[in-house]
Amino acid sequence: MLRYVRVDLFRLVSSWQFYAGIAGVGMLYFLAGFQTGYIESVQMVYLFNGFYSSAILGYAFCAASFSACLLEDGGHGYWYLAVQKGNLKSYVRSKLLVCFLSGALTMVFGVLLFAAMLQFHAPLFVETASMADLRQNDTFGFLLYPDTILLYFICSAAVNGTLGGILAAFSAYLSLYEPQRLLTLCAPLAGFYFLENFMIDTLALPECFNVWVVYGAGYSVFGNPLLNLVYGLTVTLLFWKLLETLIYRKVRDEICGITGKTGFWG
């Protein structure tokens, strides 16, 4: 599997879409920040950005980096060649891993770019009366200090970017049914609204199923930031296993249909 991962990581970092996604997240957060009116600090703008629907567009930029991987491999007939010297399960796991990494890295570097641009207009951090509550409720509240605020941005964006990785992998799966690059950009938005509206509004599930709660570091539904983080990782692993199974079966069926071969499914 390491051979697949090395190839996919090189493919990610050498792709202009990866850097375009980072720039897109940075500019989106930067421009959305001016909706708050008075800019007190970069940290407060970052916090308020999470309440705006425009922030959801950031997941489309996360998906832009790598979600077309299966579409491109299928279009060039690379599937069969890729599994000849390995196996399909390792191939699929590599694609999923790099999808998750691309979402997290795009969000992290995009947020850092946003912070770098906005610091020309406001300080990175300002102590306020509400900071005590934020430190208590935020998953990474212990980093809300002047010396560690950049580390706070990195950790918080990484958790948020994990959702971007899930939605990117979901986009990659849908591209197996409808091979359109535009779909891989739109699918994260549709997937987010489905999770948000269907699971909460239609099924009336508890608050702990809300995607903002699971992947938003500023929420503390369990009253324990560490427990929130463990819960988010558990949900991510469940999504990972579901998407791995679905993608594996679909790619296996596609290769069987193209080649008639059935001997590479280890």
Side-chain angles (χ1 to χ4, degrees), residues 74-109:
H76 292 90
Y78 181 66
W79 287 337
Y80 178 65
L81 296 175
V83 300
Q84 273 187 312
K85 295 183 179 181
N87 60 71
L88 186 58
K89 286 184 178 179
S90 295
Y91 169 80
V92 169
R93 286 169 182 165
S94 174
K95 290 292 182 288
L96 276 173
L97 176 62
V98 178
C99 266
F100 280 109
L101 286 176
S102 70
L105 292 175
T106 299
M107 185 63 72
V108 168
F109 287 122

Side-chain angles (χ1 to χ4, degrees), residues 224-245:
N224 186 319
L226 180 59
L227 187 58
N228 287 351
L229 185 60
V230 172
Y231 173 62
L233 291 175
T234 302
V235 172
T236 299
L237 289 174
L238 291 175
F239 275 122
W240 171 292
K241 190 59 181 178
L242 174 62
L243 287 168
E244 178 186 329
T245 302

Side-chain angles (χ1 to χ4, degrees), residues 134-186:
L134 288 176
R135 290 188 178 112
Q136 181 178 359
N137 295 321
D138 197 295
T139 302
F140 303 103
F142 62 94
L143 296 173
L144 285 171
Y145 293 95
D147 294 338
T148 54
I149 188 62
L150 285 179
L151 188 57
Y152 169 81
F153 288 143
I154 292 172
C155 294
S156 179
V159 172
N160 197 12
T162 303
L163 175 59
I166 290 173
L167 295 174
F170 173 67
S171 298
Y173 171 65
L174 291 184
S175 72
L176 295 173
Y177 291 90
E178 186 62 37
Q180 298 292 332
R181 187 176 292 273
L182 181 61
L183 177 66
T184 63
L185 299 178
C186 297

